[in-house]
Short mmCIF file of all heavy atoms in Angstrom, two decimals:
data_model
loop_
_atom_site.label_atom_id
_atom_site.label_comp_id
_atom_site.label_asym_id
_atom_site.label_seq_id
_atom_site.Cartn_x
_atom_site.Cartn_y
_atom_site.Cartn_z
N ILE X 60 -4.07 12.53 -12.57
CA ILE X 60 -3.73 13.58 -13.54
C ILE X 60 -5.01 14.30 -13.90
O ILE X 60 -6.11 13.69 -13.96
CB ILE X 60 -3.05 12.99 -14.80
CG1 ILE X 60 -2.60 14.11 -15.72
CG2 ILE X 60 -3.97 12.00 -15.49
CD1 ILE X 60 -1.70 13.60 -16.83
N ALA X 61 -4.91 15.60 -14.08
CA ALA X 61 -6.11 16.37 -14.43
C ALA X 61 -5.91 16.98 -15.82
O ALA X 61 -4.75 17.32 -16.17
CB ALA X 61 -6.33 17.53 -13.43
N LEU X 62 -6.97 17.06 -16.60
CA LEU X 62 -6.91 17.72 -17.91
C LEU X 62 -7.34 19.18 -17.74
O LEU X 62 -8.46 19.45 -17.36
CB LEU X 62 -7.83 16.97 -18.86
CG LEU X 62 -7.96 17.64 -20.27
CD1 LEU X 62 -6.65 17.64 -21.03
CD2 LEU X 62 -9.03 16.89 -21.10
N SER X 63 -6.46 20.08 -18.08
CA SER X 63 -6.86 21.50 -18.09
C SER X 63 -7.72 21.83 -19.24
O SER X 63 -7.69 21.13 -20.24
CB SER X 63 -5.57 22.40 -18.12
OG SER X 63 -4.74 22.24 -16.97
N PRO X 64 -8.58 22.87 -19.13
CA PRO X 64 -9.38 23.28 -20.31
C PRO X 64 -8.55 23.53 -21.55
O PRO X 64 -7.52 24.16 -21.48
CB PRO X 64 -10.07 24.55 -19.82
CG PRO X 64 -10.08 24.43 -18.31
CD PRO X 64 -8.78 23.71 -17.97
N LEU X 65 -9.03 22.99 -22.62
CA LEU X 65 -8.30 23.19 -23.90
C LEU X 65 -8.31 24.69 -24.27
O LEU X 65 -9.23 25.41 -24.04
CB LEU X 65 -9.00 22.43 -25.03
CG LEU X 65 -8.56 20.96 -25.27
CD1 LEU X 65 -8.87 20.13 -24.01
CD2 LEU X 65 -9.19 20.37 -26.50
N ARG X 66 -7.23 25.05 -24.92
CA ARG X 66 -7.07 26.46 -25.46
C ARG X 66 -7.18 26.32 -26.96
O ARG X 66 -6.49 25.52 -27.63
CB ARG X 66 -5.72 27.03 -25.06
CG ARG X 66 -5.59 27.21 -23.56
CD ARG X 66 -4.24 27.81 -23.20
NE ARG X 66 -4.02 29.12 -23.78
CZ ARG X 66 -2.90 29.77 -23.77
NH1 ARG X 66 -1.83 29.25 -23.13
NH2 ARG X 66 -2.76 30.99 -24.32
N LEU X 67 -8.08 27.11 -27.54
CA LEU X 67 -8.42 27.01 -28.97
C LEU X 67 -8.12 28.34 -29.66
O LEU X 67 -8.04 29.40 -29.03
CB LEU X 67 -9.90 26.72 -29.19
CG LEU X 67 -10.44 25.41 -28.55
CD1 LEU X 67 -11.96 25.30 -28.82
CD2 LEU X 67 -9.74 24.21 -29.10
N PRO X 68 -7.95 28.29 -31.01
CA PRO X 68 -7.80 29.55 -31.75
C PRO X 68 -8.97 30.48 -31.55
O PRO X 68 -10.09 30.04 -31.22
CB PRO X 68 -7.70 29.06 -33.24
CG PRO X 68 -7.16 27.63 -33.16
CD PRO X 68 -7.76 27.10 -31.85
N GLU X 69 -8.74 31.76 -31.76
CA GLU X 69 -9.72 32.78 -31.42
C GLU X 69 -11.06 32.64 -32.06
O GLU X 69 -12.11 32.84 -31.51
CB GLU X 69 -9.16 34.19 -31.76
CG GLU X 69 -10.04 35.34 -31.32
CD GLU X 69 -9.39 36.71 -31.56
OE1 GLU X 69 -8.20 36.73 -32.00
OE2 GLU X 69 -10.10 37.69 -31.42
N HIS X 70 -11.08 32.22 -33.38
CA HIS X 70 -12.35 32.16 -34.07
C HIS X 70 -13.28 31.06 -33.49
O HIS X 70 -14.49 31.05 -33.79
CB HIS X 70 -12.14 31.95 -35.58
CG HIS X 70 -11.55 30.71 -36.00
ND1 HIS X 70 -10.17 30.51 -36.08
CD2 HIS X 70 -12.16 29.47 -36.31
CE1 HIS X 70 -9.92 29.27 -36.50
NE2 HIS X 70 -11.06 28.60 -36.59
N TRP X 71 -12.74 30.18 -32.67
CA TRP X 71 -13.58 29.16 -32.07
C TRP X 71 -14.28 29.66 -30.78
O TRP X 71 -14.96 28.92 -30.15
CB TRP X 71 -12.75 27.91 -31.75
CG TRP X 71 -12.40 27.09 -32.95
CD1 TRP X 71 -11.26 27.15 -33.69
CD2 TRP X 71 -13.29 26.18 -33.63
NE1 TRP X 71 -11.32 26.30 -34.72
CE2 TRP X 71 -12.56 25.68 -34.74
CE3 TRP X 71 -14.56 25.67 -33.36
CZ2 TRP X 71 -13.07 24.71 -35.61
CZ3 TRP X 71 -15.08 24.74 -34.22
CH2 TRP X 71 -14.37 24.32 -35.34
N GLN X 72 -14.08 30.96 -30.49
CA GLN X 72 -14.76 31.57 -29.33
C GLN X 72 -16.16 32.04 -29.71
O GLN X 72 -16.95 32.40 -28.87
CB GLN X 72 -13.95 32.74 -28.78
CG GLN X 72 -12.50 32.43 -28.54
CD GLN X 72 -12.30 31.26 -27.59
OE1 GLN X 72 -12.98 31.15 -26.59
NE2 GLN X 72 -11.29 30.43 -27.82
N ARG X 73 -16.51 32.01 -31.00
CA ARG X 73 -17.81 32.54 -31.46
C ARG X 73 -18.92 31.51 -31.23
O ARG X 73 -18.63 30.29 -31.16
CB ARG X 73 -17.74 32.92 -32.95
CG ARG X 73 -16.63 33.88 -33.31
CD ARG X 73 -16.65 34.15 -34.82
NE ARG X 73 -15.40 34.82 -35.25
CZ ARG X 73 -15.16 35.13 -36.50
NH1 ARG X 73 -16.01 34.76 -37.48
NH2 ARG X 73 -14.05 35.75 -36.83
N ARG X 74 -20.11 31.99 -31.21
CA ARG X 74 -21.27 31.08 -31.05
C ARG X 74 -21.62 30.45 -32.40
O ARG X 74 -22.26 29.37 -32.47
CB ARG X 74 -22.49 31.80 -30.53
CG ARG X 74 -22.41 32.13 -28.99
CD ARG X 74 -23.79 32.25 -28.43
NE ARG X 74 -24.45 30.95 -28.34
CZ ARG X 74 -25.75 30.82 -28.18
NH1 ARG X 74 -26.55 31.84 -28.01
NH2 ARG X 74 -26.27 29.58 -28.10
N GLN X 75 -21.27 31.07 -33.50
CA GLN X 75 -21.54 30.50 -34.82
C GLN X 75 -20.77 29.19 -35.03
O GLN X 75 -19.63 29.09 -34.57
CB GLN X 75 -21.15 31.52 -35.93
CG GLN X 75 -21.96 32.79 -35.89
CD GLN X 75 -21.35 33.78 -36.89
OE1 GLN X 75 -20.19 34.14 -36.76
NE2 GLN X 75 -22.16 34.26 -37.81
N VAL X 76 -21.38 28.26 -35.71
CA VAL X 76 -20.71 27.00 -36.08
C VAL X 76 -20.07 27.23 -37.43
O VAL X 76 -20.76 27.31 -38.44
CB VAL X 76 -21.68 25.86 -36.11
CG1 VAL X 76 -20.91 24.49 -36.34
CG2 VAL X 76 -22.48 25.76 -34.81
N LEU X 77 -18.78 27.38 -37.44
CA LEU X 77 -17.99 27.83 -38.62
C LEU X 77 -17.32 26.64 -39.29
O LEU X 77 -16.95 25.70 -38.68
CB LEU X 77 -16.98 28.86 -38.26
CG LEU X 77 -17.49 30.17 -37.58
CD1 LEU X 77 -16.35 30.98 -37.06
CD2 LEU X 77 -18.41 30.94 -38.47
N HIS X 78 -17.15 26.81 -40.63
CA HIS X 78 -16.30 25.92 -41.42
C HIS X 78 -15.67 26.67 -42.53
O HIS X 78 -16.05 27.79 -42.82
CB HIS X 78 -17.14 24.74 -41.94
CG HIS X 78 -18.21 25.15 -42.88
ND1 HIS X 78 -18.05 25.14 -44.28
CD2 HIS X 78 -19.51 25.56 -42.66
CE1 HIS X 78 -19.20 25.50 -44.85
NE2 HIS X 78 -20.04 25.80 -43.91
N LEU X 79 -14.64 26.04 -43.08
CA LEU X 79 -13.85 26.70 -44.16
C LEU X 79 -14.44 26.37 -45.53
O LEU X 79 -14.84 25.23 -45.81
CB LEU X 79 -12.43 26.25 -44.18
CG LEU X 79 -11.43 27.08 -43.31
CD1 LEU X 79 -10.07 26.39 -43.37
CD2 LEU X 79 -11.36 28.49 -43.74
N ARG X 80 -14.62 27.41 -46.34
CA ARG X 80 -15.07 27.19 -47.74
C ARG X 80 -13.89 27.56 -48.66
O ARG X 80 -13.34 28.63 -48.56
CB ARG X 80 -16.32 28.06 -48.02
CG ARG X 80 -16.82 27.91 -49.46
CD ARG X 80 -18.26 28.55 -49.59
NE ARG X 80 -18.22 29.94 -49.25
CZ ARG X 80 -19.35 30.63 -49.07
NH1 ARG X 80 -20.55 30.01 -49.12
NH2 ARG X 80 -19.31 31.95 -48.77
N GLN X 81 -13.57 26.59 -49.54
CA GLN X 81 -12.52 26.78 -50.50
C GLN X 81 -11.16 27.12 -49.77
O GLN X 81 -10.35 27.86 -50.27
CB GLN X 81 -12.82 27.84 -51.49
CG GLN X 81 -14.05 27.55 -52.36
CD GLN X 81 -14.40 28.63 -53.37
OE1 GLN X 81 -13.86 29.73 -53.28
NE2 GLN X 81 -15.27 28.34 -54.32
N ASP X 82 -11.02 26.48 -48.60
CA ASP X 82 -9.76 26.58 -47.87
C ASP X 82 -9.38 28.02 -47.45
O ASP X 82 -8.25 28.21 -47.01
CB ASP X 82 -8.56 25.97 -48.65
CG ASP X 82 -8.73 24.51 -48.98
OD1 ASP X 82 -9.56 23.88 -48.30
OD2 ASP X 82 -8.05 24.04 -49.88
N ALA X 83 -10.27 28.95 -47.53
CA ALA X 83 -9.83 30.33 -47.24
C ALA X 83 -10.93 31.14 -46.49
O ALA X 83 -10.58 31.89 -45.65
CB ALA X 83 -9.57 31.06 -48.55
N GLU X 84 -12.23 30.88 -46.74
CA GLU X 84 -13.26 31.73 -46.20
C GLU X 84 -13.97 31.00 -45.12
O GLU X 84 -14.49 29.90 -45.26
CB GLU X 84 -14.24 32.12 -47.30
CG GLU X 84 -15.39 33.05 -46.83
CD GLU X 84 -16.40 33.30 -47.92
OE1 GLU X 84 -16.30 32.70 -49.03
OE2 GLU X 84 -17.29 34.09 -47.66
N LEU X 85 -14.09 31.64 -43.92
CA LEU X 85 -14.83 31.10 -42.82
C LEU X 85 -16.31 31.46 -42.99
O LEU X 85 -16.67 32.63 -43.12
CB LEU X 85 -14.36 31.69 -41.50
CG LEU X 85 -13.19 31.01 -40.79
CD1 LEU X 85 -12.75 31.83 -39.57
CD2 LEU X 85 -13.51 29.57 -40.42
N VAL X 86 -17.17 30.42 -43.03
CA VAL X 86 -18.60 30.68 -43.17
C VAL X 86 -19.31 29.88 -42.08
O VAL X 86 -18.82 28.91 -41.53
CB VAL X 86 -19.10 30.17 -44.54
CG1 VAL X 86 -18.52 31.05 -45.69
CG2 VAL X 86 -18.81 28.72 -44.78
N ALA X 87 -20.49 30.37 -41.77
CA ALA X 87 -21.32 29.75 -40.70
C ALA X 87 -22.45 28.88 -41.26
O ALA X 87 -23.03 29.26 -42.28
CB ALA X 87 -21.88 30.82 -39.76
N TRP X 88 -22.72 27.81 -40.59
CA TRP X 88 -23.89 27.02 -40.98
C TRP X 88 -25.12 27.83 -40.64
O TRP X 88 -25.20 28.47 -39.56
CB TRP X 88 -23.94 25.68 -40.22
CG TRP X 88 -22.86 24.78 -40.59
CD1 TRP X 88 -21.78 24.46 -39.76
CD2 TRP X 88 -22.74 23.93 -41.70
NE1 TRP X 88 -20.95 23.50 -40.40
CE2 TRP X 88 -21.54 23.19 -41.59
CE3 TRP X 88 -23.53 23.79 -42.89
CZ2 TRP X 88 -21.07 22.31 -42.60
CZ3 TRP X 88 -23.10 22.91 -43.86
CH2 TRP X 88 -21.90 22.15 -43.68
N PRO X 89 -26.15 27.84 -41.55
CA PRO X 89 -27.37 28.65 -41.26
C PRO X 89 -28.17 28.10 -40.11
O PRO X 89 -28.27 26.86 -39.98
CB PRO X 89 -28.11 28.63 -42.57
CG PRO X 89 -27.65 27.34 -43.29
CD PRO X 89 -26.22 27.18 -42.84
N ASP X 90 -28.72 28.96 -39.31
CA ASP X 90 -29.73 28.60 -38.29
C ASP X 90 -29.16 27.62 -37.31
O ASP X 90 -29.86 26.70 -36.83
CB ASP X 90 -31.00 28.04 -38.92
CG ASP X 90 -31.61 28.99 -39.97
OD1 ASP X 90 -31.51 30.20 -39.72
OD2 ASP X 90 -32.12 28.54 -40.97
#
Side-chain angles (χ1 to χ4, degrees):
I60 186 168
L62 174 64
S63 295
L65 271 64
R66 297 178 61 185
L67 302 178
E69 184 177 353
H70 66 270
W71 286 96
Q72 311 301 322
R73 306 179 192 176
R74 286 205 70 195
Q75 296 170 303
V76 186
L77 303 172
H78 63 94
L79 271 177
R80 181 165 58 192
Q81 298 180 346
D82 297 344
E84 182 185 4
L85 275 174
V86 295
W88 294 105
D90 305 323

